[in-house]
């Protein structure tokens, strides 16, 4: 079945780095733009970043621009989020999400289970 | 960037009540609007996309309407399992921002 599985979360000190992964299965990963969305504890959903199906375009939320990098490896059906210079306000559950149609920007019908990132000294 | 607002921020209604949630975009987004349901401790679930298209498997008591800047999500007869936070999202272009959410519970 169609599935997204995130990994790589954990506890990290402010200023350090972390890389999240999202393993996709059950669909043609290389045809879909993919997204990261996060949710701080007790807060709403915040879109983080998108990457086009072929990696040719990437967009970021202003809150992470210059610190986070989205990438993908279509040969491994895997999406990544490299997070540098982490701050306490980056503490959140991070979800990867797939659009309904093979377009970069669309509603998200498939979500991973999320991986928790805690930035704390 | 286009900003999304929702009202009310929370509501309490009785089982069987008709519930309406409003979402407003700061600029026109045609019908590029989705609604999600997130139950406590769970992953968000797509309910409606293209403003009014019901996602497969979603109960027909959920419906969406609107175009341009003003949108509504309606639950025709609130059920106990509908207790959740509901988010709208615009996706006409990047960034595909979410609204702040509307928390729905049972009176």
């Amino acid at each position: 079945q169609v599935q997204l599985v995130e990994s790589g979360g954990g506890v990290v000190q402010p200023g350090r780095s972390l890389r999240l992964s999202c393993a996709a299965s059950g669909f043609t990963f290389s045809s879909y733009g993919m997204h990261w969305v996060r949710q701080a504890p007790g807060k709403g959903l915040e879109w983080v970043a998108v990457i086009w199906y072929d990696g040719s375009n990437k967009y970021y939320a202003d809150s992470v621009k210059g610190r986070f990098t989205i990438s993908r490896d279509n040969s491994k059906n895997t999406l990544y989020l490299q997070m540098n210079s982490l701050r306490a306000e980056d503490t959140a559950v991070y979800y990867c999400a797939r659009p309904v149609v093979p377009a970069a920007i669309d509603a998200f019908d498939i979500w991973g289970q999320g991986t928790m990132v805690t930035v704390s000294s | 960037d286009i900003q999304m607002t929702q009202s009310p921020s929370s509501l309490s209604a009785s089982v069987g009540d008709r519930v309406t949630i409003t979402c407003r975009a700061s600029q026109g987004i045609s019908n590029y609007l989705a609604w999600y349901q997130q139950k406590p401790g769970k992953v968000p679930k797509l309910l409606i996309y293209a403003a009014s298209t019901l996602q497969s498997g979603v109960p027909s008591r959920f419906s969406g309407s609107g175009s341009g800047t003003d949108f509504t999500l309606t639950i025709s007869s609130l059920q106990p399992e509908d207790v959740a936070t509901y988010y709208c999202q615009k996706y006409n272009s990047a960034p595909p921002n979410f609204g702040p959410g509307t928390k729905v519970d049972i009176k």
Side-chain angles (χ1 to χ4, degrees):
Chain A
Q1 75 278 25
V2 176
Q3 195 173 10
L4 298 171
V5 179
E6 301 95 337
S7 61
V11 180
V12 61
Q13 293 178 330
R16 303 299 291 266
S17 299
L18 206 60
R19 187 177 84 156
L20 306 183
S21 299
C22 169
S25 59
F27 65 100
T28 306
F29 177 73
S30 59
S31 295
Y32 286 80
M34 293 294 296
H35 297 251
W36 287 99
V37 176
R38 69 183 181 182
Q39 186 168 35
K43 303 297 184 182
L45 300 171
E46 180 187 16
W47 174 82
V48 173
V50 60
I51 184 168
W52 257 233
Y53 70 99
D54 58 356
S56 59
N57 283 296
K58 305 172 186 180
Y59 291 96
Y60 300 92
D62 287 344
S63 57
V64 307
K65 203 172 295 182
R67 300 186 299 122
F68 289 13
T69 301
I70 189 172
S71 63
R72 65 192 298 157
D73 185 337
N74 286 343
S75 68
K76 295 182 178 179
N77 290 342
T78 303
L79 175 73
Y80 302 102
L81 185 68
Q82 177 67 43
M83 304 185 296
N84 298 331
S85 303
L86 282 161
R87 306 167 179 167
E89 54 264 37
D90 296 319
T91 294
V93 174
Y94 284 75
Y95 298 101
C96 58
R98 190 201 80 167
V100 172
V101 297
I105 308 295
D106 202 81
F108 305 147
D109 64 338
I110 305 297
W111 296 67
Q113 86 287 353
T115 187
M116 182 71 203
V117 173
T118 302
V119 183
S120 173
S121 53
Chain B
D1 293 348
I2 297 173
Q3 303 304 314
M4 307 301 292
T5 57
Q6 287 181 235
S7 61
S9 56
S10 65
L11 67 88
S12 186
S14 299
V15 172
D17 281 354
R18 183 180 184 87
V19 169
T20 298
I21 299 169
T22 297
C23 175
R24 177 164 290 172
S26 60
Q27 299 175 39
I29 59 171
S30 185
N31 69 334
Y32 294 99
L33 192 284
W35 290 97
Y36 299 86
Q37 175 193 64
Q38 187 178 32
K39 296 182 179 180
K42 300 297 186 181
V43 176
K45 173 187 175 182
L46 177 64
L47 296 178
I48 287 169
Y49 61 96
S52 61
T53 301
L54 203 64
Q55 174 70 348
S56 175
V58 174
S60 59
R61 64 181 179 274
F62 291 93
S63 64
S65 65
S67 183
T69 60
D70 295 315
F71 303 87
T72 59
L73 172 70
T74 300
I75 308 173
S76 61
S77 177
L78 187 68
Q79 300 301 304
E81 60 265 33
D82 300 335
V83 169
T85 300
Y86 294 84
Y87 296 93
C88 63
Q89 180 202 26
K90 69 93 171 172
Y91 58 91
N92 62 312
S93 63
N97 289 332
F98 293 90
T102 295
K103 188 174 183 180
V104 174
D105 62 26
I106 301 293
K107 192 183 295 182

